[in-house]
Amino acid sequence: MADQWPRWWEIMTEGLGAKLREVRTAKGMSLRSLAQALGVSASLISQVEIGKTQPSVSTLFAMANHLGVSLDELVGNVPTAGPSPVAPAPQRRTLRPSGALQSTP
């Protein structure tokens, strides 16, 4: 199992570099400004973006948090746009113990 961990991590973070660069540039951030905010080197951010290295889990979490995206979005596991599968509060219905559906006020 220990031998599978590095390969699993590589597969999970395969599209990370391109997505990281896309999100970072869309937010108007430079490599240096993101690196400084995260407390890492600009070289590390660059190497992640070109796929030369993978960040630690804590750095990956910090990247997502600072850029305002989910971890799933950053590693490419969910679309960046589209309708939410969760209905807005005014459109939700409640199932009552009697089995009847009632719209939420």
Side-chain angles (χ1 to χ4, degrees), residues 13 16-18 20 43-55 59 63:
T13 58
L16 172 64
L20 175 60
S43 175
L44 174 67
I45 303 295
S46 176
Q47 288 178 9
V48 170
E49 287 187 354
I50 63 174
K52 211 169 191 181
T53 191
Q54 290 87 29
T59 300
M63 288 173 173

Side-chain angles (χ1 to χ4, degrees), residues 80-100:
T80 56
S84 171
V86 178
Q91 297 174 3
R92 293 182 192 150
R93 298 186 297 171
T94 304
L95 181 60
R96 299 288 174 205
S98 66

Side-chain angles (χ1 to χ4, degrees), residues 1 6 9 25 30 34 38 43-44 46 54 58-60 63 65 69 72 75 78 84 87 91 98 102 104:
M1 183 71 153
W9 185 246
T25 57
S30 68
L34 178 59
L38 300 177
S43 175
L44 174 67
S46 176
Q54 290 87 29
S58 61
T59 300
L60 181 61
M63 288 173 173
N65 188 43
V69 296
D72 280 339
V75 296
V78 294
S84 171
Q91 297 174 3
S98 66
Q102 177 181 351
T104 304

Side-chain angles (χ1 to χ4, degrees), residues 17-31 33-34 49 66-69 73-74 80:
K19 187 64 178 181
L20 175 60
R21 178 173 285 158
E22 176 188 325
V23 173
R24 177 183 59 76
T25 57
K27 303 247 180 207
M29 295 189 75
S30 68
L31 283 167
S33 63
L34 178 59
E49 287 187 354
H66 189 75
L67 293 169
V69 296
E73 187 175 343
L74 197 55
T80 56

